[in-house]
Amino acid sequence: MDYIANASIPIANYTSSTTAAAASVSVVAAATTSSSSTNPPPPSLPSRYENQKRRDWNTFGQYLRNHRPPLSLSLCSGAHVLEFLRYLDQFGKTKVHNQACPYFGIPNPPSPCPCPIRQAWGSLDALVGRLRAAYEEHGGRPETNPFGARAVRLYLREVRDYQAKARGVSYDKKRKKRPNQK
């Protein structure tokens, strides 16, 4: 009651405006329930994964257009994908120590060093997975998918192994536990 008494709207106008607003809401609700049976529900927003996949696909398409000479998707090969992944290294945020660096193999170095900053293996792996899916969604055949090329898989494995050694972290393959047999 104190809120209404302190409001700048007179009480009589406040109640009539709320009644009118409630009436308009009920009219809108009735209109939406009757029209919802004829109209399909609005499409849901794309997921975070779908948005990222679309952005990655557009970035790769831009890379192909800016390539000298420009490349069409049908002429793209695993070598071009590797070129793209190496190009992305300049935008990375992961410090990868060289073998000559005194901090090579040390997980948390005590001071900065001049080693290059690269894309993390996990980021590259996820990017390739999204681009592989996007290629097939855009009409590409799985057997001609350049993102699934053997050279790309080997490159990702080399990046993973080198970054693991440089940081002193091992990426041993997890083995399934066998159930105890009695």
Short mmCIF file of all heavy atoms in Angstrom, two decimals, residues 23-84:
data_model
loop_
_atom_site.label_atom_id
_atom_site.label_comp_id
_atom_site.label_asym_id
_atom_site.label_seq_id
_atom_site.Cartn_x
_atom_site.Cartn_y
_atom_site.Cartn_z
N ALA A 23 -6.79 -6.64 -19.33
CA ALA A 23 -7.72 -6.99 -20.39
C ALA A 23 -6.99 -7.18 -21.71
O ALA A 23 -7.28 -8.11 -22.47
CB ALA A 23 -8.79 -5.92 -20.52
N SER A 24 -6.02 -6.31 -21.99
CA SER A 24 -5.28 -6.45 -23.25
C SER A 24 -4.41 -7.69 -23.24
O SER A 24 -4.25 -8.34 -24.26
CB SER A 24 -4.46 -5.19 -23.53
OG SER A 24 -3.44 -5.07 -22.57
N VAL A 25 -3.89 -8.05 -22.10
CA VAL A 25 -3.09 -9.26 -21.99
C VAL A 25 -3.96 -10.48 -22.25
O VAL A 25 -3.57 -11.41 -22.96
CB VAL A 25 -2.39 -9.36 -20.61
CG1 VAL A 25 -1.83 -10.73 -20.37
CG2 VAL A 25 -1.32 -8.31 -20.50
N SER A 26 -5.18 -10.48 -21.71
CA SER A 26 -6.04 -11.64 -21.93
C SER A 26 -6.46 -11.73 -23.38
O SER A 26 -6.62 -12.82 -23.93
CB SER A 26 -7.26 -11.58 -21.00
OG SER A 26 -8.05 -10.44 -21.32
N VAL A 27 -6.64 -10.60 -24.08
CA VAL A 27 -6.97 -10.61 -25.50
C VAL A 27 -5.80 -11.16 -26.30
O VAL A 27 -5.97 -11.99 -27.19
CB VAL A 27 -7.36 -9.18 -25.99
CG1 VAL A 27 -7.44 -9.13 -27.49
CG2 VAL A 27 -8.66 -8.75 -25.35
N VAL A 28 -4.57 -10.72 -25.96
CA VAL A 28 -3.38 -11.21 -26.65
C VAL A 28 -3.20 -12.70 -26.39
O VAL A 28 -2.90 -13.47 -27.30
CB VAL A 28 -2.12 -10.42 -26.22
CG1 VAL A 28 -0.87 -11.06 -26.75
CG2 VAL A 28 -2.23 -8.98 -26.67
N ALA A 29 -3.44 -13.15 -25.17
CA ALA A 29 -3.29 -14.56 -24.85
C ALA A 29 -4.31 -15.39 -25.61
O ALA A 29 -4.00 -16.46 -26.13
CB ALA A 29 -3.45 -14.78 -23.34
N ALA A 30 -5.54 -14.88 -25.72
CA ALA A 30 -6.57 -15.61 -26.46
C ALA A 30 -6.21 -15.67 -27.94
O ALA A 30 -6.41 -16.69 -28.60
CB ALA A 30 -7.92 -14.94 -26.27
N ALA A 31 -5.65 -14.58 -28.45
CA ALA A 31 -5.27 -14.56 -29.87
C ALA A 31 -4.13 -15.53 -30.14
O ALA A 31 -4.11 -16.21 -31.18
CB ALA A 31 -4.87 -13.15 -30.28
N THR A 32 -3.18 -15.62 -29.23
CA THR A 32 -2.05 -16.52 -29.47
C THR A 32 -2.45 -17.97 -29.33
O THR A 32 -1.95 -18.82 -30.04
CB THR A 32 -0.88 -16.23 -28.50
OG1 THR A 32 -1.36 -16.31 -27.17
CG2 THR A 32 -0.29 -14.87 -28.76
N THR A 33 -3.39 -18.27 -28.43
CA THR A 33 -3.80 -19.67 -28.30
C THR A 33 -4.60 -20.11 -29.49
O THR A 33 -4.49 -21.23 -29.95
CB THR A 33 -4.61 -19.90 -27.01
OG1 THR A 33 -5.72 -19.00 -27.00
CG2 THR A 33 -3.76 -19.71 -25.78
N SER A 34 -5.42 -19.21 -30.06
CA SER A 34 -6.19 -19.61 -31.23
C SER A 34 -5.31 -19.68 -32.47
O SER A 34 -5.52 -20.52 -33.33
CB SER A 34 -7.36 -18.64 -31.45
OG SER A 34 -6.85 -17.35 -31.75
N SER A 35 -4.32 -18.81 -32.58
CA SER A 35 -3.46 -18.82 -33.77
C SER A 35 -2.37 -19.87 -33.67
O SER A 35 -1.81 -20.26 -34.68
CB SER A 35 -2.84 -17.44 -33.99
OG SER A 35 -1.96 -17.15 -32.93
N SER A 36 -2.05 -20.34 -32.46
CA SER A 36 -0.98 -21.32 -32.34
C SER A 36 -1.37 -22.66 -32.94
O SER A 36 -0.53 -23.46 -33.31
CB SER A 36 -0.56 -21.49 -30.88
OG SER A 36 -1.63 -22.03 -30.15
N SER A 37 -2.67 -22.90 -33.05
CA SER A 37 -3.08 -24.17 -33.64
C SER A 37 -2.90 -24.15 -35.15
O SER A 37 -2.75 -25.19 -35.77
CB SER A 37 -4.53 -24.47 -33.27
OG SER A 37 -5.37 -23.44 -33.77
N THR A 38 -2.88 -22.97 -35.77
CA THR A 38 -2.70 -22.89 -37.22
C THR A 38 -1.26 -22.60 -37.61
O THR A 38 -0.81 -23.04 -38.66
CB THR A 38 -3.61 -21.79 -37.81
OG1 THR A 38 -3.28 -20.54 -37.19
CG2 THR A 38 -5.07 -22.12 -37.60
N ASN A 39 -0.54 -21.86 -36.79
CA ASN A 39 0.85 -21.52 -37.11
C ASN A 39 1.80 -22.44 -36.36
O ASN A 39 1.58 -22.74 -35.19
CB ASN A 39 1.15 -20.07 -36.72
CG ASN A 39 0.39 -19.08 -37.57
OD1 ASN A 39 -0.06 -19.42 -38.66
ND2 ASN A 39 0.23 -17.87 -37.06
N PRO A 40 2.90 -22.85 -37.00
CA PRO A 40 3.89 -23.65 -36.27
C PRO A 40 4.61 -22.77 -35.25
O PRO A 40 4.67 -21.56 -35.41
CB PRO A 40 4.84 -24.13 -37.37
CG PRO A 40 4.68 -23.13 -38.46
CD PRO A 40 3.26 -22.63 -38.38
N PRO A 41 5.16 -23.37 -34.21
CA PRO A 41 5.89 -22.58 -33.21
C PRO A 41 7.13 -21.97 -33.86
O PRO A 41 7.65 -22.48 -34.85
CB PRO A 41 6.28 -23.61 -32.14
CG PRO A 41 6.23 -24.92 -32.84
CD PRO A 41 5.20 -24.79 -33.91
N PRO A 42 7.59 -20.83 -33.32
CA PRO A 42 8.77 -20.20 -33.91
C PRO A 42 9.99 -21.11 -33.77
O PRO A 42 10.09 -21.88 -32.79
CB PRO A 42 8.95 -18.93 -33.08
CG PRO A 42 8.21 -19.17 -31.81
CD PRO A 42 7.10 -20.13 -32.15
N PRO A 43 10.88 -21.08 -34.74
CA PRO A 43 12.06 -21.96 -34.66
C PRO A 43 12.93 -21.58 -33.47
O PRO A 43 13.06 -20.42 -33.13
CB PRO A 43 12.79 -21.72 -35.98
CG PRO A 43 12.31 -20.39 -36.45
CD PRO A 43 10.91 -20.22 -35.91
N SER A 44 13.51 -22.59 -32.85
CA SER A 44 14.38 -22.32 -31.71
C SER A 44 15.72 -21.77 -32.20
O SER A 44 16.10 -21.94 -33.35
CB SER A 44 14.60 -23.60 -30.92
OG SER A 44 15.24 -24.56 -31.74
N LEU A 45 16.39 -21.09 -31.32
CA LEU A 45 17.68 -20.50 -31.66
C LEU A 45 18.72 -21.59 -31.83
O LEU A 45 18.68 -22.62 -31.15
CB LEU A 45 18.11 -19.54 -30.56
CG LEU A 45 17.22 -18.31 -30.37
CD1 LEU A 45 17.67 -17.53 -29.15
CD2 LEU A 45 17.24 -17.43 -31.59
N PRO A 46 19.68 -21.39 -32.74
CA PRO A 46 20.73 -22.40 -32.91
C PRO A 46 21.57 -22.52 -31.64
O PRO A 46 21.75 -21.56 -30.90
CB PRO A 46 21.57 -21.88 -34.07
CG PRO A 46 20.98 -20.60 -34.51
CD PRO A 46 19.81 -20.28 -33.65
N SER A 47 22.09 -23.71 -31.42
CA SER A 47 22.91 -23.96 -30.23
C SER A 47 24.26 -23.26 -30.37
O SER A 47 24.64 -22.78 -31.44
CB SER A 47 23.12 -25.46 -30.06
OG SER A 47 23.93 -25.95 -31.12
N ARG A 48 24.97 -23.24 -29.28
CA ARG A 48 26.31 -22.64 -29.28
C ARG A 48 27.22 -23.37 -30.27
O ARG A 48 28.00 -22.77 -31.00
CB ARG A 48 26.89 -22.72 -27.86
CG ARG A 48 28.23 -22.10 -27.71
CD ARG A 48 28.63 -22.08 -26.24
NE ARG A 48 29.94 -21.51 -26.11
CZ ARG A 48 30.97 -22.13 -25.55
NH1 ARG A 48 30.82 -23.32 -25.05
NH2 ARG A 48 32.14 -21.55 -25.47
N TYR A 49 27.10 -24.70 -30.31
CA TYR A 49 27.88 -25.51 -31.24
C TYR A 49 27.55 -25.14 -32.68
O TYR A 49 28.45 -24.98 -33.51
CB TYR A 49 27.61 -26.99 -30.98
CG TYR A 49 28.19 -27.91 -32.03
CD1 TYR A 49 29.54 -28.24 -32.01
CD2 TYR A 49 27.40 -28.43 -33.04
CE1 TYR A 49 30.08 -29.07 -32.97
CE2 TYR A 49 27.93 -29.27 -34.01
CZ TYR A 49 29.27 -29.58 -33.97
OH TYR A 49 29.80 -30.40 -34.93
N GLU A 50 26.27 -25.01 -33.00
CA GLU A 50 25.85 -24.67 -34.36
C GLU A 50 26.36 -23.29 -34.76
O GLU A 50 26.79 -23.08 -35.89
CB GLU A 50 24.33 -24.74 -34.50
CG GLU A 50 23.77 -26.14 -34.39
CD GLU A 50 24.20 -27.06 -35.51
OE1 GLU A 50 24.42 -26.59 -36.64
OE2 GLU A 50 24.33 -28.28 -35.26
N ASN A 51 26.29 -22.34 -33.84
CA ASN A 51 26.81 -20.99 -34.12
C ASN A 51 28.31 -21.02 -34.38
O ASN A 51 28.81 -20.39 -35.31
CB ASN A 51 26.50 -20.04 -32.97
CG ASN A 51 25.06 -19.59 -32.97
OD1 ASN A 51 24.42 -19.51 -34.02
ND2 ASN A 51 24.54 -19.30 -31.79
N GLN A 52 29.03 -21.76 -33.56
CA GLN A 52 30.48 -21.86 -33.73
C GLN A 52 30.82 -22.55 -35.04
O GLN A 52 31.73 -22.13 -35.76
CB GLN A 52 31.11 -22.61 -32.56
CG GLN A 52 32.62 -22.63 -32.59
CD GLN A 52 33.21 -21.25 -32.45
OE1 GLN A 52 32.83 -20.50 -31.56
NE2 GLN A 52 34.12 -20.87 -33.32
N LYS A 53 30.07 -23.59 -35.38
CA LYS A 53 30.30 -24.32 -36.63
C LYS A 53 30.07 -23.39 -37.83
O LYS A 53 30.85 -23.39 -38.78
CB LYS A 53 29.37 -25.52 -36.69
CG LYS A 53 29.59 -26.41 -37.88
CD LYS A 53 28.87 -27.74 -37.77
CE LYS A 53 27.42 -27.58 -37.52
NZ LYS A 53 26.66 -28.83 -37.62
N ARG A 54 29.02 -22.58 -37.77
CA ARG A 54 28.74 -21.63 -38.85
C ARG A 54 29.85 -20.60 -38.97
O ARG A 54 30.32 -20.30 -40.07
CB ARG A 54 27.39 -20.94 -38.59
CG ARG A 54 27.01 -19.92 -39.65
CD ARG A 54 25.70 -19.22 -39.33
NE ARG A 54 25.50 -18.88 -37.93
CZ ARG A 54 26.04 -17.83 -37.31
NH1 ARG A 54 26.83 -17.01 -37.97
NH2 ARG A 54 25.81 -17.60 -36.05
N ARG A 55 30.33 -20.06 -37.82
CA ARG A 55 31.42 -19.08 -37.85
C ARG A 55 32.70 -19.70 -38.40
O ARG A 55 33.41 -19.09 -39.21
CB ARG A 55 31.67 -18.52 -36.45
CG ARG A 55 30.66 -17.48 -36.04
CD ARG A 55 31.12 -16.73 -34.80
NE ARG A 55 31.39 -17.59 -33.67
CZ ARG A 55 30.51 -17.88 -32.72
NH1 ARG A 55 29.30 -17.38 -32.76
NH2 ARG A 55 30.85 -18.66 -31.72
N ASP A 56 33.01 -20.93 -37.98
CA ASP A 56 34.21 -21.61 -38.47
C ASP A 56 34.11 -21.85 -39.98
O ASP A 56 35.09 -21.68 -40.70
CB ASP A 56 34.42 -22.94 -37.75
CG ASP A 56 34.75 -22.75 -36.28
OD1 ASP A 56 35.19 -21.65 -35.90
OD2 ASP A 56 34.58 -23.72 -35.52
N TRP A 57 32.93 -22.27 -40.43
CA TRP A 57 32.74 -22.52 -41.86
C TRP A 57 32.92 -21.24 -42.66
O TRP A 57 33.55 -21.23 -43.72
CB TRP A 57 31.36 -23.14 -42.10
CG TRP A 57 31.14 -23.51 -43.52
CD1 TRP A 57 30.34 -22.87 -44.42
CD2 TRP A 57 31.75 -24.58 -44.24
NE1 TRP A 57 30.42 -23.49 -45.64
CE2 TRP A 57 31.27 -24.54 -45.55
CE3 TRP A 57 32.66 -25.58 -43.88
CZ2 TRP A 57 31.66 -25.46 -46.51
CZ3 TRP A 57 33.04 -26.49 -44.85
CH2 TRP A 57 32.55 -26.43 -46.14
N ASN A 58 32.36 -20.13 -42.16
CA ASN A 58 32.51 -18.85 -42.84
C ASN A 58 33.97 -18.40 -42.86
O ASN A 58 34.45 -17.86 -43.87
CB ASN A 58 31.64 -17.79 -42.19
CG ASN A 58 30.17 -18.04 -42.42
OD1 ASN A 58 29.78 -18.74 -43.34
ND2 ASN A 58 29.33 -17.48 -41.56
N THR A 59 34.70 -18.64 -41.77
CA THR A 59 36.12 -18.28 -41.72
C THR A 59 36.92 -19.10 -42.73
O THR A 59 37.77 -18.57 -43.43
CB THR A 59 36.68 -18.52 -40.30
OG1 THR A 59 35.92 -17.76 -39.38
CG2 THR A 59 38.14 -18.14 -40.21
N PHE A 60 36.62 -20.39 -42.82
CA PHE A 60 37.33 -21.22 -43.78
C PHE A 60 36.99 -20.79 -45.21
O PHE A 60 37.86 -20.75 -46.07
CB PHE A 60 37.01 -22.70 -43.57
CG PHE A 60 37.80 -23.62 -44.46
CD1 PHE A 60 39.15 -23.78 -44.28
CD2 PHE A 60 37.19 -24.29 -45.51
CE1 PHE A 60 39.90 -24.60 -45.10
CE2 PHE A 60 37.91 -25.12 -46.34
CZ PHE A 60 39.27 -25.27 -46.14
N GLY A 61 35.73 -20.47 -45.46
CA GLY A 61 35.32 -19.99 -46.78
C GLY A 61 36.04 -18.70 -47.15
O GLY A 61 36.48 -18.52 -48.29
N GLN A 62 36.19 -17.81 -46.18
CA GLN A 62 36.92 -16.56 -46.41
C GLN A 62 38.38 -16.85 -46.70
O GLN A 62 38.99 -16.23 -47.57
CB GLN A 62 36.78 -15.65 -45.20
CG GLN A 62 37.46 -14.32 -45.34
CD GLN A 62 37.30 -13.46 -44.10
OE1 GLN A 62 36.78 -13.90 -43.08
NE2 GLN A 62 37.76 -12.24 -44.18
N TYR A 63 38.94 -17.81 -45.99
CA TYR A 63 40.33 -18.20 -46.23
C TYR A 63 40.51 -18.71 -47.66
O TYR A 63 41.47 -18.35 -48.35
CB TYR A 63 40.76 -19.27 -45.22
CG TYR A 63 42.14 -19.81 -45.46
CD1 TYR A 63 43.26 -19.08 -45.09
CD2 TYR A 63 42.33 -21.03 -46.09
CE1 TYR A 63 44.54 -19.57 -45.32
CE2 TYR A 63 43.59 -21.52 -46.33
CZ TYR A 63 44.69 -20.78 -45.94
OH TYR A 63 45.96 -21.26 -46.19
N LEU A 64 39.56 -19.52 -48.12
CA LEU A 64 39.64 -20.05 -49.49
C LEU A 64 39.51 -18.92 -50.52
O LEU A 64 40.20 -18.93 -51.55
CB LEU A 64 38.56 -21.10 -49.74
CG LEU A 64 38.71 -22.42 -48.99
CD1 LEU A 64 37.54 -23.33 -49.32
CD2 LEU A 64 40.03 -23.09 -49.31
N ARG A 65 38.63 -17.95 -50.25
CA ARG A 65 38.47 -16.83 -51.19
C ARG A 65 39.71 -15.95 -51.23
O ARG A 65 40.06 -15.41 -52.28
CB ARG A 65 37.25 -15.98 -50.80
CG ARG A 65 35.93 -16.64 -51.13
CD ARG A 65 34.77 -15.70 -50.91
NE ARG A 65 34.61 -15.25 -49.53
CZ ARG A 65 34.01 -15.94 -48.57
NH1 ARG A 65 33.49 -17.13 -48.84
NH2 ARG A 65 33.91 -15.46 -47.35
N ASN A 66 40.39 -15.78 -50.09
CA ASN A 66 41.58 -14.94 -50.02
C ASN A 66 42.84 -15.67 -50.45
O ASN A 66 43.91 -15.05 -50.57
CB ASN A 66 41.77 -14.38 -48.61
CG ASN A 66 40.68 -13.41 -48.24
OD1 ASN A 66 40.03 -12.82 -49.11
ND2 ASN A 66 40.44 -13.25 -46.95
N HIS A 67 42.76 -16.96 -50.64
CA HIS A 67 43.90 -17.77 -51.05
C HIS A 67 44.35 -17.31 -52.44
O HIS A 67 43.54 -16.91 -53.26
CB HIS A 67 43.50 -19.25 -51.07
CG HIS A 67 44.65 -20.18 -51.21
ND1 HIS A 67 45.14 -20.57 -52.43
CD2 HIS A 67 45.40 -20.81 -50.28
CE1 HIS A 67 46.15 -21.39 -52.24
NE2 HIS A 67 46.32 -21.57 -50.94
N ARG A 68 45.63 -17.36 -52.70
CA ARG A 68 46.15 -16.99 -54.02
C ARG A 68 46.67 -18.21 -54.72
O ARG A 68 47.64 -18.81 -54.26
CB ARG A 68 47.25 -15.93 -53.90
CG ARG A 68 46.72 -14.62 -53.41
CD ARG A 68 45.86 -13.95 -54.48
NE ARG A 68 45.05 -12.91 -53.87
CZ ARG A 68 43.74 -12.82 -53.99
NH1 ARG A 68 43.07 -13.69 -54.68
NH2 ARG A 68 43.09 -11.85 -53.42
N PRO A 69 46.11 -18.66 -55.81
CA PRO A 69 44.85 -18.20 -56.42
C PRO A 69 43.67 -18.66 -55.58
O PRO A 69 43.77 -19.64 -54.84
CB PRO A 69 44.85 -18.88 -57.78
CG PRO A 69 45.63 -20.13 -57.58
CD PRO A 69 46.68 -19.79 -56.55
N PRO A 70 42.51 -17.96 -55.71
CA PRO A 70 41.34 -18.38 -54.93
C PRO A 70 40.96 -19.83 -55.22
O PRO A 70 41.07 -20.30 -56.35
CB PRO A 70 40.24 -17.42 -55.42
CG PRO A 70 40.97 -16.24 -55.95
CD PRO A 70 42.25 -16.77 -56.51
N LEU A 71 40.55 -20.52 -54.19
CA LEU A 71 40.21 -21.95 -54.31
C LEU A 71 38.71 -22.15 -54.18
O LEU A 71 38.05 -21.47 -53.40
CB LEU A 71 40.89 -22.74 -53.19
CG LEU A 71 42.37 -22.98 -53.29
CD1 LEU A 71 42.89 -23.55 -51.99
CD2 LEU A 71 42.66 -23.93 -54.43
N SER A 72 38.20 -23.10 -54.93
CA SER A 72 36.82 -23.52 -54.71
C SER A 72 36.85 -24.69 -53.74
O SER A 72 37.87 -25.37 -53.58
CB SER A 72 36.17 -23.93 -56.03
OG SER A 72 36.76 -25.12 -56.50
N LEU A 73 35.74 -24.92 -53.09
CA LEU A 73 35.66 -25.99 -52.10
C LEU A 73 35.91 -27.35 -52.73
O LEU A 73 36.52 -28.23 -52.12
CB LEU A 73 34.30 -25.96 -51.41
CG LEU A 73 34.14 -26.86 -50.20
CD1 LEU A 73 35.17 -26.51 -49.14
CD2 LEU A 73 32.75 -26.74 -49.65
N SER A 74 35.50 -27.51 -53.99
CA SER A 74 35.69 -28.81 -54.65
C SER A 74 37.17 -29.11 -54.91
O SER A 74 37.55 -30.26 -55.02
CB SER A 74 34.90 -28.85 -55.96
OG SER A 74 35.35 -27.82 -56.82
N LEU A 75 38.00 -28.07 -55.01
CA LEU A 75 39.43 -28.27 -55.24
C LEU A 75 40.25 -28.31 -53.95
O LEU A 75 41.45 -28.52 -53.98
CB LEU A 75 39.98 -27.16 -56.14
CG LEU A 75 39.39 -27.09 -57.55
CD1 LEU A 75 39.95 -25.88 -58.29
CD2 LEU A 75 39.68 -28.37 -58.30
N CYS A 76 39.58 -28.11 -52.83
CA CYS A 76 40.27 -28.07 -51.54
C CYS A 76 40.71 -29.48 -51.14
O CYS A 76 39.98 -30.45 -51.28
CB CYS A 76 39.31 -27.50 -50.50
SG CYS A 76 40.05 -27.33 -48.88
N SER A 77 41.93 -29.57 -50.63
CA SER A 77 42.47 -30.86 -50.20
C SER A 77 42.95 -30.79 -48.75
O SER A 77 42.91 -29.72 -48.14
CB SER A 77 43.64 -31.26 -51.12
OG SER A 77 44.72 -30.39 -50.89
N GLY A 78 43.42 -31.89 -48.26
CA GLY A 78 43.97 -31.93 -46.91
C GLY A 78 45.15 -30.99 -46.74
O GLY A 78 45.35 -30.42 -45.67
N ALA A 79 45.93 -30.78 -47.81
CA ALA A 79 47.07 -29.85 -47.75
C ALA A 79 46.58 -28.42 -47.50
O ALA A 79 47.22 -27.66 -46.76
CB ALA A 79 47.87 -29.92 -49.04
N HIS A 80 45.45 -28.07 -48.10
CA HIS A 80 44.91 -26.73 -47.88
C HIS A 80 44.39 -26.58 -46.45
O HIS A 80 44.50 -25.51 -45.85
CB HIS A 80 43.80 -26.43 -48.89
CG HIS A 80 44.29 -26.40 -50.29
ND1 HIS A 80 43.94 -27.36 -51.21
CD2 HIS A 80 45.13 -25.56 -50.93
CE1 HIS A 80 44.53 -27.10 -52.36
NE2 HIS A 80 45.27 -26.01 -52.22
N VAL A 81 43.84 -27.64 -45.90
CA VAL A 81 43.37 -27.62 -44.52
C VAL A 81 44.57 -27.43 -43.59
O VAL A 81 44.51 -26.63 -42.64
CB VAL A 81 42.59 -28.91 -44.17
CG1 VAL A 81 42.25 -28.96 -42.69
CG2 VAL A 81 41.32 -29.00 -45.01
N LEU A 82 45.67 -28.12 -43.86
CA LEU A 82 46.88 -27.95 -43.04
C LEU A 82 47.40 -26.52 -43.13
O LEU A 82 47.82 -25.94 -42.12
CB LEU A 82 47.97 -28.93 -43.49
CG LEU A 82 47.68 -30.41 -43.24
CD1 LEU A 82 48.82 -31.26 -43.75
CD2 LEU A 82 47.44 -30.67 -41.77
N GLU A 83 47.36 -25.96 -44.31
CA GLU A 83 47.79 -24.57 -44.51
C GLU A 83 46.91 -23.63 -43.66
O GLU A 83 47.40 -22.69 -43.04
CB GLU A 83 47.63 -24.25 -46.00
CG GLU A 83 48.39 -23.07 -46.50
CD GLU A 83 48.22 -22.96 -48.01
OE1 GLU A 83 48.74 -23.82 -48.75
OE2 GLU A 83 47.55 -22.01 -48.44
N PHE A 84 45.61 -23.90 -43.65
CA PHE A 84 44.67 -23.11 -42.86
C PHE A 84 44.97 -23.25 -41.37
O PHE A 84 44.98 -22.25 -40.63
CB PHE A 84 43.24 -23.56 -43.18
CG PHE A 84 42.18 -22.90 -42.35
CD1 PHE A 84 41.92 -21.55 -42.47
CD2 PHE A 84 41.41 -23.63 -41.46
CE1 PHE A 84 40.93 -20.93 -41.72
CE2 PHE A 84 40.42 -23.03 -40.72
CZ PHE A 84 40.18 -21.68 -40.84
#
